[in-house]
Amino acid sequence: MSLSKKPVTGMKDILPGEMRIREYVTGVIRETYEAFGFTSIETPCVENIANLSSRQGGENEKLIFKILRRGEKLKLDEAKTEADLTDSGLRYDLTVPLVRFYAAHTNELPSPFKALQMGNVWRADKPQRGRYRQFMQCDIDILGEPSNLAEIELILATTTTLGKLGFRDFQIRINERRILKAMAAYSGFGPEDYDTVFIILDKMDKIGLDGVAAELTGHGFSRECVERYTELFAGLQDADDTVAAFQSLTDMLNLAGVLDVEVKDNLAEIIDSVRATKSSDFEIVFDPTLVRGMSYYTGTIFEIAMPQFGGSCGGGGRYDGMVGRFTGREVPACGFSIGFERIILLLMENGFQVTSQGAKVAYLIEKGVSGENLRTVIDKAQQERESGACVLVVRMNKNKKFQKEQLATEGYTQFREFYKNPLK
Amino acid sequence: MSLSKKPVTGMKDILPGEMRIREYVTGVIRETYEAFGFTSIETPCVENIANLSSRQGGENEKLIFKILRRGEKLKLDEAKTEADLTDSGLRYDLTVPLVRFYAAHTNELPSPFKALQMGNVWRADKPQRGRYRQFMQCDIDILGEPSNLAEIELILATTTTLGKLGFRDFQIRINERRILKAMAAYSGFGPEDYDTVFIILDKMDKIGLDGVAAELTGHGFSRECVERYTELFAGLQDADDTVAAFQSLTDMLNLAGVLDVEVKDNLAEIIDSVRATKSSDFEIVFDPTLVRGMSYYTGTIFEIAMPQFGGSCGGGGRYDGMVGRFTGREVPACGFSIGFERIILLLMENGFQVTSQGAKVAYLIEKGVSGENLRTVIDKAQQERESGACVLVVRMNKNKKFQKEQLATEGYTQFREFYKNPLK
């Protein structure tokens, strides 16, 4: 068989320039999240196929890379379906493994447990520019905290991190599953239709309010329902004061008997607390059109919107029901995921450079330098390293000028040359 | 399907305590290797099956986790063998991917290229204590450096790192494939028998010199060959002065016309240079019984031996022929891999603790604190974080004393309590 130089389809090699940025960013992320009391954990990249196919992952479950059973477990002759060939697969997110992890180790973990995970996930998406089949995710989650302290801490930690990475003028958009449902109920949609309605609503930023109305009507919903629904959004879009608009919407839903006052107060407290205590330059706004795909969300949902980047740069929400699926015992849970690969892409597109800490020194050693002379040079290098410098020891090329130019592009600013005849 | 709380067979979850040590160790490794001019790269965890089955990986190729083809490519009805079902797999080491990476990106990389890789690899070994099917490897490699500067730098970088991690009194054992061969040739073995002879020799530390002799004889080799061979090793084992013993052995092999003087001088220079310039507390010794399994080694081979740990804690060597398999153009290459998981195990068994940098402060907030009061508390936490502290903000439990005791085990040393009635 011939050997292939390329990475497998849809995955990429990471060269030193990008790696420097990735390592810098993971460093800032870890340091900032640790200051908020999050602790790192890791789960295997491979999960049991039953956990990956538990319908917690929505569309992502169609994109799983499945791993072939091994040895006696692989009964190729008898296999009729894929399921006969595989009992594990590569994880498609970090949330399902986290919940399994928490279920397995609850007794060894503090409560509430604040987890930080940075790791690769795999999805067999159609390869396209900037999207890869292996990519890093960076999640923080708080398990065991029922109050909105979880949401407030998650949003502050994430936005502080983005601020430290130099991002400005971004938005946190926030909504509540229960407000979404209340608006649908108020308009006359039945609970069985909510999922369909929300999938259409989710397209608002692409097709606009008229487009949403047309799709809902096209789907066979009554004109009365659709009109009542779109009027709610039209009123909010026109509002000058989003705080007042949020108040009057939720008051109305509450009066109509479709929304508990606690839900409204809870969300208001999150928004107010974040506004009052944020340390970075961003806005937090109520966005009644925010849906977020995953069906496991039960309460607040939120997303990072960056003007520099069309789509979302991360998001999360509350998923109180998920731990119970593993343990039978409900545990409140809430998480926020940064779109790590998009952050890296944005930094690279903006020419972001990591400045190195110490001096970068290159030792160029002429080919004949050996024995005692070589030892003296290496000893010198060791001493410079001890005092904090980065010292590259290489043989001198014939074209020394070109070699130095190349080294300069790698950040080497000092050069020391060593010859066989030291007097040269 | 019921959900499984356990990780997949043979893989493990990593809890906060171990993660702290792992992150500390990867930090020290990265910092130290960077001071030697190594730069980080990353390759996908998934590789083309052709590359993984190219016979560069020896026994490891039998342990590959293979990934099922997807969509139209999976022709389950027609599949007769495993090969029909899979076109990729999880990497079993970092060397094969590195060589593919180098072949793909040669023009974008400096020469020599000094690569640092830290990443997971997967092998479907029989699960056993302390050995997992997913584990971290940590490799440094120098590609494009033909001289022994590569070996000297690799050994100094690795041993400096081990020293910074607190390891003392370890040994670097070094040998040369060409000396191994010369000793076999000198004893009368034919080149076709070398591999068999070396596999038996490799058991020396387990079965002793008599055991090796017995196995060689049992294998049908002539008594004369076996006696001549074992006498060589007996002479070396009895030597008081290993430097002199190395000299007289290699001189003899050279005189017999089976070893080039350059090979001997080259190895002597590596040993002498490392001895003269090392910054950590270790020994480097010539070990003529060192074989190392992988067949791709072409020159020097070396291994870390730790008295605290029975086996080897890492190793490496020169593999000049491997890049040529991808590119058709030979590129000299040499690498050194640290046994990352063993290092972690040793540190944990020795009760190693990572001391945190800043203060760790826990804010305990009584349940009723909300609105303006909550914002004031969170604002205070944000300010303490700004000034470098780690601040955990949690709701106060009914059993406050127990909660504080638990937090103390996580390293929290300061506690601030906030009540609904501030005068309480």
Side-chain angles (χ1 to χ4, degrees):
Chain A
M1 269 187 288
S2 72
L3 300 182
S4 162
K5 284 199 240 180
K6 284 192 190 157
V8 292
T9 312
M11 301 191 193
K12 71 163 184 174
D13 292 326
I14 303 173
L15 280 98
E18 180 175 342
M19 273 306 284
R20 264 190 291 276
I21 296 176
R22 293 174 81 94
E23 286 174 350
Y24 169 79
V25 172
T26 50
V28 170
I29 288 174
R30 183 175 296 128
E31 194 180 40
T32 313
Y33 284 161
E34 279 174 2
F36 281 81
F38 289 91
T39 51
S40 295
I41 63 148
E42 219 176 272
T43 66
C45 301
V46 182
E47 276 287 334
N48 286 302
I49 202 78
N51 294 353
L52 295 177
S53 317
S54 64
R55 305 186 49 206
Q56 300 293 308
E59 289 296 299
N60 293 332
E61 296 194 357
K62 295 182 189 156
L63 306 174
I64 300 171
F65 284 100
K66 294 175 181 167
I67 293 172
L68 211 57
R69 287 175 198 259
R70 295 181 43 82
E72 290 168 12
K73 286 187 183 167
L74 179 69
K75 293 175 182 137
L76 188 51
D77 298 341
E78 302 169 22
K80 290 200 175 57
T81 66
E82 265 186 41
D84 298 324
L85 295 171
T86 176
D87 50 11
S88 64
L90 295 176
R91 62 186 179 197
Y92 55 76
D93 76 0
L94 300 177
T95 308
V96 171
L98 170 70
V99 171
R100 182 198 55 67
F101 174 98
Y102 187 77
H105 305 286
T106 311
N107 294 336
E108 302 157 76
L109 299 171
S111 179
F113 177 52
K114 301 178 81 172
L116 162 59
Q117 296 184 92
M118 290 195 264
N120 284 313
V121 302
W122 291 263
R123 294 179 195 167
D125 258 317
K126 248 201 188 92
Q128 49 183 297
R129 206 191 83 84
R131 280 194 104 159
Y132 292 93
R133 290 179 159 189
Q134 170 178 318
F135 56 97
M136 270 271 285
Q137 280 203 336
C138 173
D139 289 13
I140 45 173
D141 293 86
I142 304 180
L143 294 117
E145 173 55 65
S147 86
N148 59 19
L149 203 50
E151 280 89 342
I152 296 168
E153 286 281 281
L154 288 168
I155 294 170
L156 286 177
T158 303
T159 53
T160 303
T161 301
L162 291 172
K164 290 206 174 161
L165 290 170
F167 291 97
R168 301 278 175 272
D169 299 322
F170 56 92
Q171 266 192 346
I172 301 292
R173 297 193 179 146
I174 190 163
N175 197 7
E176 239 281 358
R177 281 272 162 154
R178 287 171 292 182
I179 294 179
L180 265 179
K181 286 180 186 170
M183 289 174 79
Y186 177 86
S187 310
F189 294 105
E192 67 283 3
D193 296 325
Y194 290 173
D195 280 347
T196 314
V197 172
F198 298 157
I199 289 170
I200 295 169
L201 177 65
D202 203 15
K203 301 181 187 173
M204 181 81 91
D205 56 341
K206 291 202 187 85
I207 61 177
L209 189 53
D210 291 344
V212 168
E215 274 209 32
L216 286 171
T217 312
H219 220 275
F221 292 116
S222 78
R223 217 177 61 183
E224 199 192 334
C225 274
V226 175
E227 269 179 17
R228 208 167 169 188
Y229 197 50
T230 49
E231 267 166 29
L232 283 180
F233 290 100
L236 288 164
Q237 282 182 341
D238 295 341
D240 289 327
D241 182 343
T242 58
V243 180
F246 169 74
Q247 279 300 344
S248 65
L249 171 74
T250 49
D251 283 345
M252 185 183 69
L253 295 170
N254 179 238
L255 271 175
V258 290
L259 185 70
D260 285 343
V261 69
E262 288 80 14
V263 174
K264 152 195 144 87
D265 289 348
N266 183 60
L267 184 55
E269 185 164 77
I270 294 169
I271 296 175
D272 290 346
S273 300
V274 170
R275 280 203 184 127
T277 60
K278 68 195 170 94
S279 61
S280 304
D281 180 14
F282 73 95
E283 279 193 336
I284 177 164
V285 292
F286 170 60
D287 179 358
T289 70
L290 184 69
V291 174
R292 301 226 18 108
M294 311 302 270
S295 59
Y296 54 64
Y297 289 122
T298 53
T300 41
I301 43 179
F302 30 82
E303 214 166 79
I304 309 164
M306 294 236 179
Q308 309 93 316
F309 191 88
S312 143
C313 272
R318 184 167 278 278
Y319 52 99
D320 284 348
M322 208 161 150
V323 177
R325 290 199 46 142
F326 282 85
T327 59
R329 196 172 60 86
E330 299 291 311
V331 174
C334 197
F336 204 149
S337 177
I338 287 185
F340 184 84
E341 301 291 345
R342 294 190 176 184
I343 298 292
I344 299 295
L345 204 66
L346 282 176
L347 289 174
M348 287 178 70
E349 283 176 0
N350 284 289
F352 179 81
Q353 294 278 345
V354 180
T355 48
S356 61
Q357 304 269 307
K360 291 191 79 173
V361 190
Y363 281 30
L364 308 183
I365 310 178
E366 200 186 24
K367 209 176 168 198
V369 178
S370 66
E372 185 58 37
N373 290 338
L374 182 64
R375 288 197 286 279
T376 308
V377 175
I378 292 172
D379 205 37
K380 196 174 156 69
Q382 286 285 78
Q383 284 167 27
E384 279 209 76
R385 285 165 182 153
E386 278 292 320
S387 63
C390 158
V391 181
L392 178 78
V393 177
V394 287
R395 289 287 176 187
M396 192 181 291
N397 289 349
K398 275 179 194 156
N399 189 341
K400 191 175 68 184
K401 189 162 166 281
F402 179 72
Q403 187 178 17
K404 284 186 183 174
E405 283 167 11
Q406 289 302 106
L407 289 168
T409 67
E410 292 172 57
Y412 289 92
T413 52
Q414 295 176 44
F415 301 93
R416 313 215 196 298
E417 297 168 24
F418 302 92
Y419 295 92
K420 197 171 172 185
N421 175 356
L423 299 177
K424 193 167 171 180
Chain B
M1 265 188 289
S2 70
L3 300 182
S4 162
K5 285 200 242 178
K6 283 192 191 158
V8 293
T9 313
M11 302 192 194
K12 71 163 183 174
D13 291 325
I14 303 172
L15 280 99
E18 180 174 343
M19 273 307 282
R20 266 190 289 277
I21 296 177
R22 294 174 82 93
E23 286 175 350
Y24 170 79
V25 171
T26 50
V28 170
I29 288 174
R30 184 175 295 128
E31 193 180 42
T32 313
Y33 284 160
E34 277 174 2
F36 280 81
F38 289 91
T39 52
S40 295
I41 64 150
E42 219 177 272
T43 66
C45 301
V46 181
E47 275 288 333
N48 285 301
I49 202 77
N51 293 354
L52 295 176
S53 316
S54 63
R55 303 184 52 204
Q56 299 293 308
E59 290 296 299
N60 293 332
E61 297 194 357
K62 294 180 190 158
L63 306 174
I64 300 172
F65 284 100
K66 293 174 183 169
I67 293 172
L68 210 59
R69 288 174 198 259
R70 294 182 44 81
E72 290 168 11
K73 286 186 181 167
L74 180 68
K75 293 175 182 138
L76 189 51
D77 297 340
E78 302 168 21
K80 292 201 175 57
T81 67
E82 264 185 41
D84 298 323
L85 296 171
T86 178
D87 50 11
S88 64
L90 295 175
R91 62 186 180 199
Y92 54 77
D93 75 1
L94 300 178
T95 307
V96 170
L98 170 71
V99 171
R100 182 196 55 67
F101 174 98
Y102 187 77
H105 305 286
T106 311
N107 294 336
E108 302 156 76
L109 299 170
S111 179
F113 177 52
K114 300 178 81 172
L116 163 59
Q117 294 185 94
M118 289 195 266
N120 284 314
V121 302
W122 291 264
R123 294 179 195 167
D125 259 318
K126 248 200 188 91
Q128 48 183 297
R129 207 191 83 84
R131 280 194 104 159
Y132 292 94
R133 289 178 161 193
Q134 169 179 316
F135 56 98
M136 270 271 284
Q137 280 204 335
C138 173
D139 289 13
I140 45 172
D141 293 86
I142 304 180
L143 294 117
E145 175 55 66
S147 86
N148 58 21
L149 202 51
E151 281 88 343
I152 296 168
E153 287 280 282
L154 287 168
I155 295 169
L156 287 176
T158 303
T159 53
T160 302
T161 300
L162 291 172
K164 289 204 175 165
L165 290 170
F167 290 97
R168 303 278 175 271
D169 299 323
F170 57 92
Q171 267 193 344
I172 300 292
R173 297 194 180 146
I174 190 164
N175 197 7
E176 240 281 357
R177 280 271 163 156
R178 288 171 292 183
I179 293 178
L180 266 179
K181 286 179 185 170
M183 289 174 79
Y186 177 88
S187 310
F189 295 104
E192 67 284 2
D193 297 325
Y194 290 172
D195 280 347
T196 314
V197 173
F198 298 156
I199 288 170
I200 296 168
L201 176 66
D202 203 15
K203 303 181 186 171
M204 181 80 90
D205 55 340
K206 292 202 187 87
I207 61 176
L209 189 53
D210 291 344
V212 168
E215 274 210 32
L216 286 171
T217 311
H219 220 276
F221 292 115
S222 79
R223 217 177 63 184
E224 200 192 334
C225 275
V226 175
E227 270 180 17
R228 208 167 168 188
Y229 197 51
T230 48
E231 268 168 27
L232 282 180
F233 290 100
L236 288 165
Q237 283 183 340
D238 295 340
D240 289 328
D241 182 345
T242 59
V243 180
F246 169 74
Q247 279 300 343
S248 66
L249 171 74
T250 48
D251 282 346
M252 185 183 69
L253 296 170
N254 179 239
L255 271 174
V258 289
L259 184 71
D260 284 344
V261 70
E262 288 80 14
V263 173
K264 151 197 146 86
D265 289 349
N266 183 60
L267 184 55
E269 186 165 75
I270 294 169
I271 296 174
D272 290 345
S273 300
V274 170
R275 281 202 182 128
T277 61
K278 70 195 168 94
S279 61
S280 305
D281 180 15
F282 72 97
E283 278 194 337
I284 178 165
V285 292
F286 171 61
D287 178 359
T289 70
L290 183 69
V291 174
R292 299 215 33 95
M294 312 301 271
S295 59
Y296 54 64
Y297 289 121
T298 53
T300 41
I301 44 180
F302 30 83
E303 214 167 77
I304 309 165
M306 294 235 181
Q308 308 95 313
F309 192 88
S312 142
C313 271
R318 185 167 276 279
Y319 52 100
D320 285 348
M322 208 163 151
V323 177
R325 290 200 46 141
F326 282 85
T327 59
R329 196 171 59 85
E330 298 291 311
V331 173
C334 197
F336 204 149
S337 177
I338 288 185
F340 183 85
E341 301 290 346
R342 294 190 176 184
I343 298 291
I344 299 296
L345 204 66
L346 282 176
L347 289 174
M348 286 177 70
E349 283 176 359
N350 284 288
F352 179 81
Q353 294 278 347
V354 180
T355 48
S356 61
Q357 304 270 309
K360 290 190 81 174
V361 189
Y363 281 30
L364 308 183
I365 309 178
E366 200 188 20
K367 210 176 169 199
V369 177
S370 65
E372 184 57 38
N373 290 339
L374 182 64
R375 288 198 285 279
T376 308
V377 175
I378 294 173
D379 206 37
K380 196 174 155 71
Q382 286 285 79
Q383 283 167 28
E384 278 210 77
R385 285 165 182 154
E386 278 293 319
S387 64
C390 159
V391 181
L392 179 77
V393 177
V394 287
R395 289 286 174 187
M396 193 181 291
N397 289 349
K398 276 180 192 151
N399 190 340
K400 192 174 69 183
K401 187 163 167 283
F402 180 72
Q403 187 179 18
K404 284 184 178 175
E405 282 167 11
Q406 290 302 106
L407 289 168
T409 65
E410 293 171 58
Y412 289 93
T413 53
Q414 295 175 45
F415 301 93
R416 314 214 195 299
E417 298 168 25
F418 302 91
Y419 295 92
K420 198 172 170 184
N421 175 358
L423 299 177
K424 192 168 173 180

